[in-house]
């Protein structure tokens, strides 16, 4: 209980070190998600809408990568960005840019798999009707994605939740440097290992608050859409 009291005190006092950690975590997660989203949504749509040789293998790989541990992604990225690695000249290791690169790799399979499922769940006659009416490929894609927008939004929420809550990749690629690459999850791991539970609990409360807010936003959007449909 004392640790919980101290955690609330840290949050309410505006502790600079605590809010710096929160800022780094939010910044890298949002940038990583923004970079991954266009590529992933286009890839998920293309896989769902087109038939090609090896399609089932591509779908299998996209779904299989969901279960890859983030520490493995961090290890592969670390090997690539290390001085002796093929990308060592970029000097991204132990930087926020390196963390963002890891977040992109982590978010991609989540966004692709959920977008793929959302597009497959839409009525195929929708795209056929749009083509019949003379819509361009770009317009057809926007129409289908709009129809499956809640699935795409669920993809974004799940992708954001995965990147902001992962610890393995951020620890290996970022190095958990105070004031630079220390994120919420790496700070929780560090402080808990030191027996400093107050900051770990405070950061855990922030993660819970973020999860509740983004899921509440999705529920509100879904509720507004259902209400709109009911009034038509």
């Amino acid at each position: 209980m004392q640790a919980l009291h101290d955690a609330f005190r840290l949050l309410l006092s505006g502790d600079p070190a605590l809010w710096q950690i929160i800022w780094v975590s939010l910044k890298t997660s949002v940038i990583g998600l923004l970079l991954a989203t266009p590529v992933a949504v286009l890839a998920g749509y293309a896989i769902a809408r087109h038939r090609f040789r090896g399609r089932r293998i591509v779908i299998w790989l996209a779904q299989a990568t969901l279960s890859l541990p983030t520490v493995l992604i961090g290890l592969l990225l670390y090997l690539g960005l290390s001085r002796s690695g093929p990308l060592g000249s970029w000097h991204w290791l132990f930087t926020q840019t390196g963390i963002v690169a890891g977040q992109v790799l982590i978010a991609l399979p989540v966004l692709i798999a959920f977008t793929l499922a959302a597009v497959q769940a839409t009525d195929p006659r929708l795209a056929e009707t749009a083509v019949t009416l003379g819509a361009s490929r770009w317009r057809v894609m926007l129409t289908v994605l709009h129809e499956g927008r809640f699935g795409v939004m669920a993809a974004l929420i799940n992708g954001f939740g995965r990147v902001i809550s992962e610890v393995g990749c951020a620890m290996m690629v970022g190095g958990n440097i105070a004031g630079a690459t220390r994120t919420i999850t790496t700070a929780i791991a560090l402080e808990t290992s030191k027996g400093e539970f107050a900051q770990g609990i405070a950061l855990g409360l922030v993660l819970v608050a973020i999860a509740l807010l983004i899921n509440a936003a999705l529920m509100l959007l879904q509720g507004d859409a259902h209400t709109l449909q009911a009034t038509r």
Side-chain angles (χ1 to χ4, degrees):
M1 292 302 297
Q2 183 60 43
L4 184 62
H5 177 269
D6 293 340
F8 279 107
R9 181 178 56 80
L10 279 172
L11 288 171
L12 296 176
S13 66
D15 181 68
L18 184 74
W19 287 101
Q20 172 68 20
I21 292 169
I22 296 171
W23 166 246
V24 170
S25 197
L26 288 173
K27 176 185 175 183
T28 54
S29 298
V30 170
I31 293 176
L33 191 67
L34 290 176
L35 292 175
T37 296
V39 177
V41 170
L42 288 175
Y45 174 83
I47 296 170
R49 290 282 301 146
H50 297 90
R51 300 293 182 267
F52 53 88
R53 182 175 296 180
R55 179 174 178 270
R56 289 191 176 184
I57 296 177
V58 172
I59 294 176
W60 169 65
L61 290 174
Q63 294 174 342
T65 50
L66 290 172
S67 59
L68 282 179
T70 58
V71 69
L72 176 59
I73 297 175
L75 174 60
L76 296 175
L77 194 57
Y78 178 90
L79 294 175
L81 294 175
S82 62
R83 288 186 179 181
S84 57
L87 306 178
S89 60
W90 293 4
H91 303 294
W92 284 6
L93 198 60
F94 305 141
T95 65
Q96 290 186 19
T97 305
I99 295 178
V100 170
Q103 308 290 43
V104 170
L105 295 178
I106 292 169
L108 278 174
V110 178
L111 296 172
I112 291 174
F114 274 78
T115 302
L116 171 63
V119 174
Q120 287 181 325
T122 60
D123 191 337
R125 293 174 296 180
L126 179 67
E128 295 172 0
T129 302
V131 171
T132 303
L133 294 175
S136 63
R137 290 186 178 182
W138 178 255
R139 184 61 184 174
V140 171
M141 183 185 73
L142 291 179
T143 302
V144 173
L145 290 177
H146 181 266
E147 181 68 18
R149 61 191 178 278
F150 293 118
V152 177
M153 283 191 289
L156 293 174
I157 288 175
N158 278 274
F160 182 74
R162 182 160 166 81
V163 297
I164 200 171
S165 63
E166 74 84 23
V167 60
C169 184
M171 184 77 77
M172 296 192 70
V173 179
N176 202 17
I177 303 171
T181 60
R182 183 164 295 169
T183 63
I184 293 176
T185 51
T186 60
I188 291 175
L190 176 65
E191 297 303 320
T192 303
S193 67
K194 290 163 42 179
E196 300 290 340
F197 296 105
Q199 190 175 81
I201 293 173
L203 293 170
L205 290 173
V206 171
L207 280 179
V208 172
I210 291 172
L212 291 175
L213 285 173
I214 58 179
N215 281 279
L218 179 61
M219 290 180 65
L220 286 174
L221 290 172
Q222 289 176 328
D224 290 343
H226 293 325
T227 302
L228 181 61
Q229 290 176 352
T231 57
R232 288 179 178 177

